[in-house]
Amino acid sequence: MADETPAAPDLHIDIERLLTRIDALGQIGRIDGPNGEWGNARLALTDADRAGRDLVVGWMRELGMEIAVDAIGNVVATRAGSDPSLSAVMIGSHIDTVGTGGRFDGNLGVLAGLEIVETLDAAGLAAERPLQVAFFTDEEGSRFAPDMLGSQVYVGGLDLEQALDVVAADDGARLGEELVRIGYAGDVECPTARPPHAFVELHIEQGPILEADDVTIGVVEGVQGISWTEIVIIGQSAHAGTTPMRLRHDPAFCAAAIATYVRDLTHHLGSDQVGTVGRIEVHPNLVNVVPARAALTVDLRNTDERVLQEAEGRLSAFLEELAESEGVQISTTTLARFEPVEFDPAMVDLVETTARRLGHSTRRLSSGAGHDAQMLARICPTAMIFTPSVNGLSHNIAEFTEAVDIEAGANVLLQVVLDQLEVG
Ligand code: HGY
Ligand code: MN
Ligand code: MN
């Protein structure tokens, strides 16, 4: 850490300016709900994602930042420091969303970074280190698995060519072609040749913990392990009326049995285990046809790697039994697999002491969601700052975080970044 005396303890962000940018980006791929709630649909590398990228890159240019786009479409904007030989402090997150997402997930972290650049510029604060603001490609992984795809390539955790060959779950498009189509196949090599000095990500909690404890700032100690599996079940299509139950090989029944098993597994393994069947497809999906095929995804997560492996083992054994008992073929593909991550203790402490110095309540927690920070933690000291989510909701257009909490989180981010920037 830099010396203890904060560089500009009274400096603070302009919350109205930040909220204006959040709302402006939120208009791209906007989805309105029946009760005034509204969110976003900007799946990775779609036209909506391109429009969101273009808007944010435009703001980066207006701030006089140097823009770099790498070969997987990650965008890194740089505010020059007085000593360019020093590695940059990076603020980052993502601006792609799930199909029924909110307007804060990821976007808050990127736009808070731009707000901090504008705040430093307005205050005439020069820094020795460059300051970078980045958004990473396809953090959500909904369309192109795995999640955190762009930041994984950025840190060298996923081979670029392998990433470019990933095929979209929705329309079968190849990632590399979509990147070219939207104009973000950049010329900067991956993985990065210059790891940041430090990485800090401001993000909404996306769960109920901070709100339940009435706490303003989440001091994130790490991220839980993630296991995504796609399961394909091949049975035999048959007439719904004429085929006796004993002669059926029914993939839809198997998909339902797997979803029920996943729920039972979480009860058996205890509170830290979560399990989700998020996608189920049945073919031919007709009322009077016993299906020929079903495909579904299982998302298992746990803070304890050993228990997560046990969950995976139990599911695999269940699939074998089911294939045998129902006379179907079951195949699995791993879509994502990340072990739990712990952030740099000194950076975690810095977030906590900074938040408390600013007078905010804090609590430590592990992140239930995956984040780009868990990838950057592989190459530099990394920390995350959480703000509360109203009703613990996210990946839902009703996702919301109060302005007062956004302001608190962004000011903590500002002070943490100032500590790392070694402002002159
Ligand atoms: O899946 C996740 O946790 C993140 O939203 N990509
Ligand atoms: Mn996110
Ligand atoms: Mn998300």
Side-chain angles (χ1 to χ4, degrees):
M1 294 309 107
D3 65 77
E4 291 313 309
T5 44
D10 301 328
L11 193 62
H12 52 80
I13 62 110
D14 178 332
I15 184 60
E16 290 312 318
R17 190 165 58 195
L18 175 51
L19 293 174
T20 302
R21 284 205 172 104
I22 290 172
D23 278 8
L25 179 54
Q27 301 310 318
I28 299 176
R30 174 170 175 155
I31 313 174
D32 285 281
N35 305 307
E37 74 281 13
W38 63 278
N40 281 165
R42 286 200 308 275
L43 285 168
L45 309 187
T46 57
D47 290 344
D49 186 23
R50 166 174 42 192
R53 285 167 168 259
D54 291 349
L55 180 65
V56 174
V57 168
W59 285 332
M60 291 169 161
R61 287 211 168 87
E62 283 170 15
L63 288 169
M65 301 178 84
E66 186 193 327
I67 313 288
V69 182
D70 73 13
I72 198 68
N74 297 318
V75 173
V76 179
T78 301
R79 175 187 193 253
S82 55
D83 182 351
S85 70
L86 293 174
S87 53
V89 174
M90 181 183 274
I91 299 168
S93 196
H94 62 96
I95 60 172
D96 64 300
T97 75
V98 295
T100 53
R103 58 190 186 273
F104 303 95
D105 177 359
N107 305 316
L108 170 62
V110 176
L111 299 182
L114 296 186
E115 173 51 33
I116 284 168
V117 167
E118 191 148 5
T119 299
L120 295 179
D121 289 351
L125 276 179
E128 290 172 34
R129 291 188 180 281
L131 172 59
Q132 291 180 326
V133 179
F135 60 80
F136 296 100
T137 294
D138 186 33
E139 186 279 344
E140 292 296 358
S142 310
R143 186 175 179 226
F144 296 100
D147 51 349
M148 289 77 72
L149 181 142
S151 49
Q152 246 189 113
V153 174
Y154 183 81
V155 303
L158 177 62
D159 173 69
L160 171 65
E161 292 311 318
Q162 192 183 334
L164 293 172
D165 281 340
V166 170
V167 166
D170 54 358
D171 59 10
R174 181 179 167 272
L175 190 149
E177 273 128 49
E178 285 291 87
L179 213 46
V180 170
R181 188 181 67 80
I182 68 166
Y184 278 89
D187 53 9
V188 175
E189 281 186 17
C190 299
T192 182
R194 290 202 75 185
H197 168 68
F199 180 82
V200 197
E201 181 170 5
L202 171 65
H203 204 289
I204 54 173
E205 178 208 332
Q206 300 183 284
I209 297 170
L210 295 180
E211 183 180 62
D213 284 6
D214 194 19
V215 162
T216 303
I217 298 295
V219 180
V220 189
E221 294 184 298
V223 179
Q224 69 176 339
I226 300 175
S227 166
W228 285 3
T229 305
E230 181 179 63
I231 300 169
V232 175
I233 307 158
I234 306 295
Q236 184 181 60
S237 67
H239 194 294
T242 60
T243 313
M245 299 311 288
R246 59 186 168 77
L247 296 181
R248 294 186 182 208
H249 308 289
D250 182 348
F253 166 77
C254 294
I258 293 165
T260 305
Y261 180 81
V262 166
R263 171 62 62 90
D264 294 344
L265 191 58
T266 61
H267 291 157
H268 178 80
L269 292 174
S271 61
D272 277 354
Q273 183 62 46
V274 290
T276 311
V277 171
R279 173 161 47 97
I280 296 185
E281 292 147 3
V282 172
H283 176 77
N285 210 28
L286 299 171
V287 61
N288 57 352
V289 179
V290 177
R293 181 185 188 277
L296 67 157
T297 57
V298 175
D299 176 327
L300 296 171
R301 306 197 196 194
N302 200 303
T303 52
D304 183 329
E305 172 64 15
R306 192 188 47 75
V307 180
L308 184 55
Q309 287 182 18
E310 184 181 346
E312 290 172 317
R314 286 173 180 263
L315 175 62
S316 174
F318 176 72
L319 296 180
E320 277 182 32
E321 287 163 26
L322 192 63
E324 176 74 26
S325 64
E326 295 301 317
V328 296
Q329 290 161 9
I330 296 182
S331 59
T332 61
T333 307
T334 299
L335 297 179
R337 183 59 170 95
F338 305 120
E339 295 193 3
V341 168
E342 289 187 1
F343 292 135
D344 175 274
M347 289 291 285
V348 175
D349 290 347
L350 176 62
V351 168
E352 191 169 59
T353 51
T354 302
R356 289 183 176 170
R357 174 165 56 83
L358 295 179
H360 300 305
S361 54
T362 66
R363 69 153 281 172
R364 291 183 173 226
L365 73 170
S366 173
S367 175
H371 297 287
D372 293 311
Q374 75 187 86
M375 299 302 162
L376 273 290
R378 298 184 187 186
I379 61 170
C380 68
T382 293
M384 287 195 80
I385 304 160
F386 274 177
T387 55
S389 291
V390 171
N391 299 324
L393 269 184
S394 183
H395 287 192
N396 180 311
I397 64 169
E399 172 187 286
F400 190 74
T401 293
E402 302 291 352
V404 64
D405 293 330
I406 289 175
E407 186 172 21
N411 279 321
V412 171
L413 178 66
L414 169 62
Q415 293 297 325
V416 168
V417 163
L418 282 172
D419 177 278
Q420 292 298 305
L421 270 178
E422 293 157 32
V423 170

